Amino acid sequence: MSPQKTLSRQSSADTILACNKLAPAGEAIRLDTSVSTKSYYIGGVQVHFPFAPYPSQLGMMNHMIGALNKGKNTMIESPTGSGKSLALLCAVLAWRRSLIAKQKKLAKQVERIVMNFGKHNPLLLRDKFGNTDHPSDTVEPDEKLSSNDKTPVDVKQEPDSPKKSVNSEDPEDDSKTSIGLLLAKALFYREQTLTYILDMAKSRKLEGVSEEDIAVLQEVKDSGIRATHTPKVYFGSRTHKQVSQLVDELRRKTPYRLQTAVLGSRAQTCIYSKREKIGSESVEDMCRSLRDDEKCDPHTNFRRILSHKTIVRGGELEIWDLEDLVKLGRKTNACPYYASREMAINAELIFCPYNYILDPTVRDAAGIELANSVVIFDEAHNIENAARDAASFEVTDKALGILAFECAKMIENRILISSHNSIKNVAETLANWLQQEDNVYEYIDYEMQTSVWPKPDWPVEQLLKDLMLTPDVVQNLKIAYSVIDDYIRKLRKDKNDGPHLKWLEFDDMDPENENLARPNIRPMRHLSSSSMRIVDGLIRMLSISWPGSKFANDYRIAIMRCPNPEARSDFQPIIRSKWKKRLSNFASTLEASHVIHPDRFCALSVQCGPSGAPMEAKYKTIDQLSFQDDMGEAIVSITKKCPDGMLVFAPSYALLNKLFARWELTGVLAEINVHKEVFIEPQGGSSEFDKLLKAFRKYLYKSENIGQPSARGAIIFAVYRGKVSEGIDFSDYFCRTVVNIGIPYPAFKDVQVILKREYNDAHSVPKPGSSRQLLNGSKWYNIQAFRAINQALGRCLRHKNDWGAIIMLESRFAHPWNISQLSKWVRGSLQVYYTLGEAQQYLEKFYQERIQGDLLNEAVDGDVVTLELVDDK
């Protein structure tokens, strides 16, 4: 679903803004006077900010407001810990508040001008609106509210009035057609009225309408929808945890109060009492089944949340997060999921992970309308991968088997036989293809075997023909899906669909049963939600993959077989050109500096380990015991001097496992543990990571003499691109040192990486008649690595008074080109040392100076930023 009109889009290496769905102008954003703020005029907009903005924050807000005012795209890059999210929130909400005020003022002006026009030119008014058969009676009225936000006049109640000529002098005109009703009609059909007045002004002098009035009407007409509508704001970040941090920033630090909503999945918000007994993949199906049978009390009660005193305007949770809503849902036995969706309809600011915006399936399911809204992508350095993932589709042979099985049961019960048979045939065809033993795989390693189309002698078109997946079959699949979807919607509206349709409840299926089913039978009425999603994905990807599709050349079809073995079909786009085109079209960019003074951090790289050998975490060196031993001794040396918390990043879990195995044998791990409590980032889900993070922080809370060199502290070993490296705030004593091992290039032999590099190489030179030009494969490959490093570097520097050290144990950071790829605030301060001994003298001095500074300044220093107003006001 493409936005109908884009007013503005702003992106940063960490943020992207876009303007889409414009809601009718409503109540201005309120200011909470209990929140202490200062007021500044930036770009002509009054911005309320909790403290004197850092120069980089001033630059960001000015840049963003300018983009919004001009309706232009822009990109902003700002270091982590520079107060970027707070600046973005304050800027966009201040701009929106200012826009509402301007719109109300403009609405009053337009109303005055139309009223004067009607009073002084009654014959022209009757000529336009005096005939009830006029086309304006049959078209949709403008969604304009009056200056007092009253409901528009209902013109359907007007009496019929015959059309009169401009030259008519019938004295009974006023009695036949009330001027007041005609004026109300003129205001109701504002756009037509403006056009009419402007057209009349071209050929004659209008009584009661000045040249200034005409200029105002022309401005409104030229502005279009922006003149009378206020945009919704979608604020997207990478994960729900980052969304929670954004909500907390808005609630605690800004005075802006408006209708907000946070979108999340059923798995995150379901409070059904038996929810824990099923897997997260089945939550949606369980939810729909319970609602269909009217057995979910929380869903029945979800409106209790909407009217709860803590949620409404001025309530304690007027600005709420998903966790707040879930707690309230448990307290009131009301469904947080459906309450959040309902509140999002009228919300002025909506927070969500940005796959809710990028993924068309998720976007449609969430009811997100992007047309003419403001959309901000925070942490936008991940946007390329997220967009590519959103445009991808993959399905396993097992999932296809379940889909075919469900269709067979529907056919057995004689429900939409033809439609279910069409889907069943496609599912069985693909499942059989995946399970063929004679499939040839050109990419083979110990983890995966992969075959990719198109091949030199086997194009995608021929593959699909071989599988009998012709355009006619795909069209029949679309029709079948539409028929079944309509059938399911009808069933959900009709609660009297009958209990006689008995078939398997797929949530109870035994995964070990080769027949995919157990004998317990429960009433079920239609295909499961997961199966419907598979059909929808197949339709989208098969439609795109056929030659002739606009994006056919951007996709590859692949079979990937695991050694276990389990085959899966993967329709994988190498680049989603639609989003790539949009995100490269920025009218301006801004690279902000860090708010940290250079004296409060040190950045250094070390070329050689204690043995004198270069420290290079490359594929050929990581298995060498000398490398592993040097890395261990170097980290031990740093832990002896580093106070409080410490983070160590490695390119992969495989390397971490090798290092830990060696260090356990040599005693290095035990020595590290003498100085720091050791934590290792888990590869599992978020619940395991949350437990680790809580234990890490709790340990540092307990530590005595925080900030003293003798404090034992704690250390987390993590990977680049992992949970620790993004979106987690390790401010102050939670992290005083970040150690980086190696350069995290993507896996060189990974099939997706290979195909992506080939694709970029093929499109790195513009073709005749096309302006499309991508980075070549090598540049793209390098960017992926340094983007991950730069994101990890700022974990220890989170605010102006924070301090910390960045240490890169990698010899390649002695090369100027590699240094040039680091963030601006790092590359300008990086010092290169040949040995760790040389670096430690500087490092120890830095720690001592900063620790003494903290001891002398127990109270946090006040802000000393000199503020220069951006605007003359």
Side-chain angles (χ1 to χ4, degrees):
M1 179 176 59
S2 302
Q4 297 174 5
K5 183 179 180 182
T6 298
L7 299 179
S8 170
R9 174 172 295 134
Q10 173 172 328
S11 163
S12 102
D14 291 311
T15 305
I16 292 179
L17 162 87
C19 290
N20 295 312
K21 174 73 177 175
L22 292 173
E27 178 185 350
I29 298 173
R30 295 179 297 108
L31 296 177
D32 185 350
T33 56
S34 66
V35 180
S36 177
T37 62
K38 299 179 181 179
S39 177
Y40 309 95
Y41 277 90
I42 302 174
V45 172
Q46 186 181 26
V47 179
H48 294 268
F49 208 71
F51 49 80
Y54 306 139
S56 60
Q57 289 175 318
L58 275 176
M60 282 186 279
M61 289 189 285
N62 184 50
H63 206 75
M64 185 175 190
I65 291 171
L68 288 166
N69 283 333
K70 296 176 182 178
K72 300 295 184 181
N73 300 337
T74 189
M75 179 180 289
I76 297 176
E77 181 180 1
S78 182
T80 57
S82 59
K84 164 181 51 62
S85 299
L86 180 62
L88 295 175
L89 277 170
C90 289
V92 70
L93 295 182
W95 173 83
R96 191 178 187 276
R97 187 169 183 264
S98 173
L99 180 64
I100 292 173
K102 291 177 181 177
Q103 289 171 343
K104 289 189 175 183
K105 180 179 178 181
L106 197 59
K108 289 182 179 179
Q109 287 182 289
V110 170
E111 184 176 339
R112 176 188 59 78
I113 295 169
V114 172
M115 295 292 287
N116 286 341
F117 168 77
K119 290 177 181 178
H120 291 84
N121 303 274
L123 298 182
L124 291 176
L125 188 67
R126 289 194 190 99
D127 186 61
K128 178 66 176 177
F129 294 108
N131 188 350
T132 56
D133 294 330
H134 192 276
S136 61
D137 283 337
T138 61
V139 299
E140 290 294 324
D142 301 321
E143 295 182 53
K144 174 194 170 295
L145 298 179
S146 72
S147 59
N148 296 319
D149 288 334
K150 296 178 181 178
T151 304
V153 178
D154 186 357
V155 296
K156 294 182 180 178
Q157 302 301 318
E158 298 176 30
D160 292 342
S161 301
K163 181 178 179 180
K164 293 294 179 180
S165 164
V166 174
N167 299 319
S168 172
E169 298 181 1
D170 190 341
E172 298 183 3
D173 277 350
D174 285 344
S175 62
K176 293 180 180 179
T177 304
S178 166
I179 290 295
L181 289 177
L182 290 178
L183 284 172
K185 193 172 184 179
L187 290 170
F188 196 49
Y189 295 103
R190 177 193 53 79
E191 185 175 344
Q192 296 181 47
T193 302
L194 263 60
T195 301
Y196 180 62
I197 295 175
L198 289 172
D199 288 344
M200 290 295 99
K202 293 177 181 178
S203 59
R204 68 186 71 191
K205 172 68 176 177
L206 297 177
E207 294 293 330
V209 181
S210 67
E211 292 184 2
E212 291 78 9
D213 292 339
I214 294 298
V216 170
L217 297 184
Q218 189 64 52
E219 178 188 351
V220 173
K221 189 176 188 309
D222 293 342
S223 298
I225 195 171
R226 284 184 292 173
T228 55
H229 289 72
T230 308
K232 276 192 174 186
V233 178
Y234 289 95
F235 208 120
S237 196
R238 185 189 180 198
T239 65
H240 278 288
K241 188 174 290 294
Q242 291 168 341
V243 167
S244 296
Q245 293 175 357
L246 288 169
V247 173
D248 188 58
E249 292 264 286
L250 175 65
R251 180 164 47 194
R252 291 192 305 108
K253 298 182 180 180
T254 82
Y256 297 105
R257 296 295 178 263
L258 68 167
Q259 287 183 288
T260 63
V262 181
L263 295 177
S265 66
R266 285 179 173 88
Q268 293 171 306
T269 54
C270 181
I271 61 170
Y272 182 65
S273 57
K274 298 181 181 179
R275 156 75 177 85
E276 293 78 10
K277 296 182 179 180
I278 64 172
S280 60
E281 299 87 357
S282 305
V283 173
E284 184 172 349
D285 289 333
M286 179 203 71
C287 176
R288 294 186 184 279
S289 177
L290 289 171
R291 286 192 296 114
D292 290 346
D293 294 336
E294 297 184 338
K295 293 181 179 179
C296 182
D297 290 338
H299 174 261
T300 305
N301 303 331
F302 81 87
R303 293 187 183 278
R304 291 178 181 176
I305 292 178
L306 306 183
S307 58
H308 197 273
K309 63 181 181 180
T310 61
I311 289 290
V312 297
R313 175 181 173 178
E316 179 185 351
L317 297 178
E318 181 179 8
I319 306 295
W320 51 268
D321 188 17
L322 278 184
E323 291 184 3
D324 300 321
L325 213 62
V326 170
K327 290 178 182 177
L328 183 59
R330 295 188 187 281
K331 180 179 179 180
T332 59
N333 193 31
C335 177
Y337 177 79
Y338 282 97
S340 66
R341 295 301 173 95
E342 187 75 12
M343 286 188 279
I345 295 174
N346 295 318
E348 301 161 281
L349 172 61
I350 299 174
F351 295 99
C352 59
Y354 52 56
N355 68 303
Y356 279 62
I357 299 170
L358 296 175
D359 191 322
T361 302
V362 177
R363 188 169 65 236
D364 292 344
I368 293 177
E369 294 284 347
L370 293 181
N372 302 315
S373 302
V374 175
V375 181
I376 300 173
F377 291 106
D378 199 9
E379 306 293 341
H381 51 275
N382 296 298
I383 209 74
E384 180 189 4
N385 292 337
R388 191 164 60 248
D389 291 343
S392 305
F393 176 73
E394 69 175 42
V395 61
T396 64
D397 56 345
K398 181 178 179 180
L400 289 167
I402 292 175
L403 171 60
F405 178 78
E406 291 187 16
C407 289
K409 297 305 294 185
M410 287 298 289
I411 294 170
E412 181 181 319
N413 286 288
R414 308 192 65 76
I415 305 297
L416 300 178
I417 296 175
S418 177
S419 297
H420 286 102
N421 194 55
S422 296
I423 294 174
K424 175 176 172 288
N425 290 339
V426 171
E428 290 178 338
T429 297
L430 288 173
N432 292 334
W433 174 51
L434 294 178
Q435 293 170 347
Q436 287 178 4
E437 296 296 332
D438 58 350
N439 285 326
V440 178
Y441 300 94
E442 58 266 33
Y443 301 96
I444 300 175
D445 59 36
Y446 65 95
E447 291 182 345
M448 190 76 67
Q449 300 171 349
T450 309
S451 185
V452 181
W453 283 265
K455 303 179 188 296
D457 56 347
W458 198 351
V460 169
E461 182 176 6
Q462 186 59 49
L463 169 67
L464 297 179
K465 286 181 178 179
D466 293 345
L467 296 172
M468 302 297 290
L469 298 176
T470 62
D472 289 341
V473 171
V474 177
Q475 182 61 30
N476 289 337
L477 194 63
K478 291 180 182 178
I479 295 172
Y481 176 84
S482 178
V483 170
I484 294 172
D485 187 55
D486 289 343
Y487 166 76
I488 293 174
R489 292 176 186 274
K490 183 177 183 299
L491 284 185
R492 287 174 178 153
K493 290 181 180 179
D494 182 9
K495 299 298 182 181
N496 299 317
D497 49 322
H500 61 281
L501 301 178
K502 290 187 176 285
W503 48 323
L504 293 177
E505 170 60 77
F506 297 104
D507 290 342
D508 291 338
M509 288 192 307
D510 184 354
E512 302 299 326
N513 191 329
E514 293 183 359
N515 295 324
L516 299 175
R518 286 167 55 183
N520 70 318
I521 305 297
R522 291 176 55 192
M524 194 170 179
R525 306 163 182 83
H526 48 70
L527 295 182
S528 63
S529 298
S530 56
S531 288
M532 288 296 287
R533 287 194 297 271
I534 290 173
V535 179
D536 179 57
L538 286 173
I539 290 171
R540 285 191 295 113
M541 294 306 136
L542 287 173
S543 300
I544 289 172
S545 298
W546 260 98
S549 164
K550 183 178 180 180
F551 302 110
N553 293 331
D554 297 335
Y555 279 77
R556 302 293 182 267
I557 297 177
I559 296 180
M560 292 185 281
R561 182 182 293 274
C562 302
N564 47 18
E566 180 186 64
R568 67 178 183 178
S569 172
D570 194 10
F571 295 81
Q572 181 71 35
I574 305 310
I575 184 67
R576 187 59 164 138
S577 60
K578 173 181 176 183
W579 280 100
K580 185 67 176 180
K581 180 179 179 180
R582 290 179 180 176
L583 299 182
S584 61
N585 184 25
F586 295 103
S588 60
T589 60
L590 173 68
E591 184 178 7
S593 300
H594 210 300
V595 299
I596 303 287
H597 192 278
D599 289 343
R600 300 191 68 82
F601 75 92
C602 72
L604 54 91
S605 70
V606 180
Q607 297 186 59
C608 299
S611 70
M615 288 193 291
E616 288 190 355
K618 292 183 176 180
Y619 180 76
K620 295 181 179 180
T621 60
I622 57 176
D623 289 326
Q624 297 175 4
L625 298 183
S626 58
F627 166 81
Q628 297 172 9
D629 292 342
D630 274 352
M631 197 61 66
E633 290 184 37
I635 291 175
V636 168
S637 298
I638 297 170
T639 59
K640 290 179 179 179
K641 302 297 181 182
C642 168
D644 309 325
M646 177 173 165
L647 304 178
V648 178
F649 291 100
S652 67
Y653 286 107
L655 176 56
L656 278 182
N657 291 336
K658 290 177 181 179
L659 293 175
F660 273 84
R662 176 62 178 173
W663 295 347
E664 283 191 90
L665 289 175
T666 61
V668 167
L669 188 58
E671 193 171 355
I672 293 175
N673 203 50
V674 169
H675 306 285
K676 302 286 182 188
E677 184 72 12
V678 176
F679 296 88
I680 304 173
E681 181 182 43
Q683 292 183 254
S686 58
S687 61
E688 293 182 25
F689 176 73
D690 290 341
K691 291 178 183 178
L692 175 136
L693 191 60
K694 184 177 180 180
F696 174 78
R697 287 179 167 163
K698 185 177 181 181
Y699 187 86
L700 288 171
Y701 281 136
K702 287 183 176 180
S703 295
E704 298 179 358
N705 301 319
I706 293 297
Q708 297 292 331
S710 59
R712 183 163 176 260
I715 183 172
I716 296 180
F717 287 89
V719 296
Y720 298 104
R721 306 184 186 91
K723 294 181 177 66
V724 173
S725 68
E726 294 195 37
I728 307 298
D729 190 346
F730 292 97
S731 60
D732 300 317
Y733 60 83
F734 288 120
C735 180
R736 290 304 187 194
T737 304
V738 171
V739 176
N740 297 294
I741 299 174
I743 300 177
Y745 290 104
F748 191 78
K749 293 185 178 180
D750 182 273
V751 176
Q752 294 189 33
V753 173
I754 293 172
L755 296 176
K756 173 67 173 137
R757 293 185 66 170
E758 291 176 353
Y759 180 89
N760 275 44
D761 284 338
H763 293 82
S764 60
V765 179
K767 296 180 180 179
S770 174
S771 60
R772 186 184 186 189
Q773 182 177 7
L774 303 180
L775 294 172
N776 64 42
S778 295
K779 289 183 179 179
W780 172 86
Y781 186 73
N782 286 324
I783 284 174
Q784 307 312 303
F786 287 95
R787 179 183 293 157
I789 287 180
N790 287 325
Q791 189 64 22
L793 290 179
R795 293 306 94 195
C796 66
L797 301 171
R798 308 301 300 173
H799 59 82
K800 177 175 176 281
N801 294 302
D802 208 348
W803 62 268
I806 295 168
I807 306 169
M808 286 178 265
L809 302 180
E810 172 58 59
S811 64
R812 285 173 286 180
F813 280 110
H815 300 158
W817 188 89
N818 288 327
I819 295 174
S820 71
Q821 302 305 299
L822 298 174
S823 295
K824 180 173 70 173
W825 65 276
V826 176
R827 63 177 180 257
S829 302
L830 186 68
Q831 299 188 47
V832 179
Y833 293 91
Y834 186 74
T835 66
L836 183 62
E838 297 172 358
Q840 277 198 304
Q841 295 179 14
Y842 170 72
L843 189 62
E844 185 172 356
K845 180 182 178 182
F846 170 78
Y847 286 142
Q848 289 176 347
E849 288 178 351
R850 295 272 57 88
I851 291 169
Q852 290 301 317
D854 282 354
L855 294 175
L856 292 173
N857 300 282
E858 294 182 2
V860 177
D861 292 336
D863 292 318
V864 292
V865 174
T866 300
L867 177 65
E868 295 181 4
L869 295 185
V870 180
D871 196 272
D872 291 338
K873 299 178 183 180

